[in-house]
Amino acid sequence: MEEEKVLERLKEGEHEAFTQLYNAYWNQVYNFSRLYVSSVEDCKEIVQQVFVKVWEARTLIKEKENFRGFLFIITRNIVFNLSKKSFNESFYKMSVLSAFSDSMEQANCDVEEEIMASQLNDYINQLVDSLPARQKEVFVLSRQHHLSHKEIAFRLDISEKTVEQHIYKVLKFLKENLQLFTIFLAC
Protein backbone atom coordinates (compact mmCIF):
# COMPACT_ATOMS: atom_id res chain seq x y z
CA MET A 1 0.00 0.00 0.00
CA GLU A 2 1.47 3.33 -1.02
CA GLU A 3 0.10 5.55 1.70
CA GLU A 4 0.08 8.83 -0.24
CA LYS A 5 -2.10 7.37 -2.98
CA VAL A 6 -4.43 5.75 -0.46
CA LEU A 7 -4.75 9.08 1.35
CA GLU A 8 -5.57 10.83 -1.93
CA ARG A 9 -8.31 8.28 -2.58
CA LEU A 10 -9.56 8.70 1.00
CA LYS A 11 -9.82 12.47 0.49
CA GLU A 12 -12.03 11.76 -2.51
CA GLY A 13 -14.34 9.75 -0.25
CA GLU A 14 -13.37 6.28 -1.38
CA HIS A 15 -14.52 3.71 1.18
CA GLU A 16 -11.99 1.10 0.04
CA ALA A 17 -9.14 3.48 0.85
CA PHE A 18 -10.63 4.07 4.29
CA THR A 19 -10.86 0.31 4.84
CA GLN A 20 -7.20 -0.11 3.81
CA LEU A 21 -6.10 2.53 6.32
CA TYR A 22 -8.32 1.08 9.02
CA ASN A 23 -6.88 -2.40 8.49
CA ALA A 24 -3.32 -1.06 8.40
CA TYR A 25 -3.57 1.07 11.57
CA TRP A 26 -6.36 -0.16 13.84
CA ASN A 27 -4.03 -2.42 15.84
CA GLN A 28 -1.51 0.39 16.40
CA VAL A 29 -4.25 2.78 17.53
CA TYR A 30 -5.69 0.08 19.81
CA ASN A 31 -2.28 -0.68 21.38
CA PHE A 32 -1.54 3.00 21.86
CA SER A 33 -4.86 3.55 23.65
CA ARG A 34 -4.18 0.48 25.84
CA LEU A 35 -1.22 2.37 27.29
CA TYR A 36 -3.65 4.80 28.87
CA VAL A 37 -6.98 2.97 29.15
CA SER A 38 -7.37 -0.34 30.95
CA SER A 39 -10.76 -1.36 29.60
CA VAL A 40 -10.66 -3.42 26.41
CA GLU A 41 -14.16 -2.21 25.51
CA ASP A 42 -13.15 1.43 25.99
CA CYS A 43 -10.10 0.88 23.78
CA LYS A 44 -12.25 -0.64 21.04
CA GLU A 45 -14.58 2.34 21.31
CA ILE A 46 -11.61 4.72 21.11
CA VAL A 47 -10.42 3.01 17.90
CA GLN A 48 -13.87 3.46 16.40
CA GLN A 49 -13.96 7.13 17.42
CA VAL A 50 -10.50 7.72 15.96
CA PHE A 51 -11.47 6.34 12.57
CA VAL A 52 -14.78 8.18 12.58
CA LYS A 53 -12.74 11.38 13.10
CA VAL A 54 -10.42 10.34 10.25
CA TRP A 55 -13.40 9.88 7.95
CA GLU A 56 -14.94 13.19 9.03
CA ALA A 57 -11.63 15.06 8.54
CA ARG A 58 -10.56 13.22 5.39
CA THR A 59 -10.66 16.35 3.24
CA LEU A 60 -8.20 18.08 5.59
CA ILE A 61 -5.61 15.29 5.53
CA LYS A 62 -2.35 16.17 3.80
CA GLU A 63 -0.94 13.23 1.84
CA LYS A 64 2.67 14.32 2.34
CA GLU A 65 2.42 14.64 6.12
CA ASN A 66 2.78 11.91 8.73
CA PHE A 67 -0.58 10.12 8.78
CA ARG A 68 0.47 7.88 11.66
CA GLY A 69 1.27 10.98 13.75
CA PHE A 70 -2.12 12.42 12.82
CA LEU A 71 -3.79 9.21 14.08
CA PHE A 72 -1.96 9.31 17.37
CA ILE A 73 -2.81 12.96 17.96
CA ILE A 74 -6.49 12.10 17.46
CA THR A 75 -6.12 9.06 19.74
CA ARG A 76 -4.37 11.09 22.42
CA ASN A 77 -7.10 13.72 22.35
CA ILE A 78 -9.88 11.15 22.61
CA VAL A 79 -8.09 9.37 25.49
CA PHE A 80 -7.58 12.71 27.22
CA ASN A 81 -11.25 13.63 26.82
CA LEU A 82 -12.30 10.22 28.13
CA SER A 83 -10.03 10.61 31.16
CA LYS A 84 -11.30 14.14 31.75
CA LYS A 85 -14.91 12.96 31.53
CA SER A 86 -14.19 10.09 33.92
CA PHE A 87 -12.48 12.46 36.34
CA ASN A 88 -15.35 14.98 36.16
CA GLU A 89 -17.96 12.25 36.73
CA SER A 90 -16.07 10.94 39.76
CA PHE A 91 -15.60 14.43 41.14
CA TYR A 92 -19.30 15.14 40.61
CA LYS A 93 -20.28 11.92 42.39
CA MET A 94 -18.00 12.78 45.29
CA SER A 95 -19.45 16.30 45.53
CA VAL A 96 -23.03 15.07 45.46
CA LEU A 97 -22.37 12.37 48.03
CA SER A 98 -20.57 14.84 50.27
CA ALA A 99 -23.51 17.26 50.09
CA PHE A 100 -25.95 14.52 50.97
CA SER A 101 -23.84 13.24 53.87
CA ASP A 102 -23.58 16.77 55.30
CA SER A 103 -27.33 17.33 55.26
CA MET A 104 -28.58 13.80 55.87
CA GLU A 105 -26.24 11.55 57.84
CA GLN A 106 -28.52 8.57 57.41
CA ALA A 107 -29.16 8.95 53.67
CA ASN A 108 -29.77 5.69 51.86
CA CYS A 109 -26.96 5.90 49.33
CA ASP A 110 -26.06 3.04 47.11
CA VAL A 111 -23.50 0.94 49.00
CA GLU A 112 -21.08 0.84 46.09
CA GLU A 113 -21.16 4.61 45.63
CA GLU A 114 -20.75 5.10 49.37
CA ILE A 115 -17.69 2.86 49.41
CA MET A 116 -16.27 4.60 46.36
CA ALA A 117 -16.89 8.02 47.90
CA SER A 118 -15.28 6.88 51.13
CA GLN A 119 -12.25 5.51 49.27
CA LEU A 120 -12.00 8.69 47.25
CA ASN A 121 -12.27 10.84 50.37
CA ASP A 122 -9.58 8.76 52.12
CA TYR A 123 -7.37 9.04 49.06
CA ILE A 124 -7.83 12.81 48.87
CA ASN A 125 -6.95 13.09 52.56
CA GLN A 126 -3.81 11.00 51.96
CA LEU A 127 -2.87 13.23 49.05
CA VAL A 128 -3.41 16.38 51.12
CA ASP A 129 -1.35 14.87 53.95
CA SER A 130 1.50 14.18 51.51
CA LEU A 131 1.71 17.83 50.43
CA PRO A 132 4.60 20.06 51.51
CA ALA A 133 3.72 21.70 54.83
CA ARG A 134 3.03 25.21 53.48
CA GLN A 135 0.90 23.98 50.56
CA LYS A 136 -1.11 21.79 52.92
CA GLU A 137 -1.60 24.68 55.34
CA VAL A 138 -2.79 27.03 52.58
CA PHE A 139 -5.09 24.39 51.09
CA VAL A 140 -6.67 23.48 54.45
CA LEU A 141 -7.27 27.16 55.27
CA SER A 142 -8.87 27.64 51.86
CA ARG A 143 -10.98 24.51 51.55
CA GLN A 144 -11.76 23.49 55.12
CA HIS A 145 -11.81 26.85 56.88
CA HIS A 146 -13.20 28.68 53.83
CA LEU A 147 -10.80 31.62 54.10
CA SER A 148 -10.25 33.91 51.13
CA HIS A 149 -6.85 34.23 49.51
CA LYS A 150 -6.48 37.63 51.15
CA GLU A 151 -7.28 36.23 54.61
CA ILE A 152 -4.84 33.37 54.16
CA ALA A 153 -2.11 35.73 52.95
CA PHE A 154 -2.65 37.96 56.00
CA ARG A 155 -2.74 35.02 58.45
CA LEU A 156 0.42 33.39 57.03
CA ASP A 157 2.23 36.65 56.23
CA ILE A 158 2.67 35.79 52.55
CA SER A 159 1.44 37.46 49.38
CA GLU A 160 -1.92 36.69 47.81
CA LYS A 161 -0.04 35.64 44.66
CA THR A 162 1.85 33.04 46.72
CA VAL A 163 -1.46 31.76 48.09
CA GLU A 164 -2.81 31.49 44.52
CA GLN A 165 0.29 29.62 43.41
CA HIS A 166 0.00 27.15 46.30
CA ILE A 167 -3.68 26.53 45.57
CA TYR A 168 -2.96 26.10 41.85
CA LYS A 169 -0.16 23.58 42.54
CA VAL A 170 -2.29 21.61 45.00
CA LEU A 171 -5.28 21.45 42.65
CA LYS A 172 -3.04 20.37 39.78
CA PHE A 173 -1.45 17.68 41.98
CA LEU A 174 -4.87 16.46 43.16
CA LYS A 175 -6.28 16.40 39.64
CA GLU A 176 -3.36 14.39 38.27
CA ASN A 177 -3.51 11.89 41.13
CA LEU A 178 -7.30 11.64 41.12
CA GLN A 179 -7.24 10.78 37.41
CA LEU A 180 -4.93 7.88 38.19
CA PHE A 181 -7.18 6.83 41.08
CA THR A 182 -10.32 6.86 38.95
CA ILE A 183 -8.54 4.78 36.31
CA PHE A 184 -7.57 2.34 39.06
CA LEU A 185 -11.17 2.18 40.30
CA ALA A 186 -12.40 1.46 36.78
CA CYS A 187 -10.33 -1.73 36.60
Side-chain angles (χ1 to χ4, degrees), residues 97-109 114:
L97 289 173
S98 176
F100 278 126
S101 68
D102 288 348
S103 63
M104 301 171 13
E105 286 294 321
Q106 300 299 323
N108 288 329
C109 294
E114 201 170 298

Side-chain angles (χ1 to χ4, degrees), residues 21-115:
L21 290 168
Y22 180 86
N23 290 335
Y25 287 104
W26 80 267
N27 196 38
Q28 292 175 37
V29 172
Y30 175 83
N31 289 333
F32 181 73
S33 65
R34 286 289 289 164
L35 294 173
Y36 303 99
V37 178
S38 58
S39 164
V40 170
E41 292 305 314
D42 285 345
C43 287
K44 288 178 181 177
E45 179 63 28
I46 288 168
V47 171
Q48 296 304 315
Q49 289 179 28
V50 166
F51 283 97
V52 165
K53 293 277 186 203
V54 167
W55 180 257
E56 290 172 346
R58 69 187 177 276
T59 58
L60 304 174
I61 295 173
K62 295 181 172 87
E63 302 87 13
K64 305 249 185 242
E65 290 188 11
N66 183 354
F67 180 70
R68 187 172 183 257
F70 176 69
L71 280 177
F72 291 113
I73 289 170
I74 294 172
T75 307
R76 180 202 63 197
N77 291 344
I78 291 172
V79 168
F80 174 76
N81 289 338
L82 181 69
S83 297
K84 190 167 114 178
K85 179 182 176 199
S86 174
F87 171 75
N88 287 340
E89 286 173 359
S90 296
F91 185 77
Y92 175 74
K93 283 181 182 178
M94 183 189 74
S95 298
V96 169
L97 289 173
S98 176
F100 278 126
S101 68
D102 288 348
S103 63
M104 301 171 13
E105 286 294 321
Q106 300 299 323
N108 288 329
C109 294
D110 182 62
V111 173
E112 185 177 322
E113 287 180 353
E114 201 170 298
I115 291 170

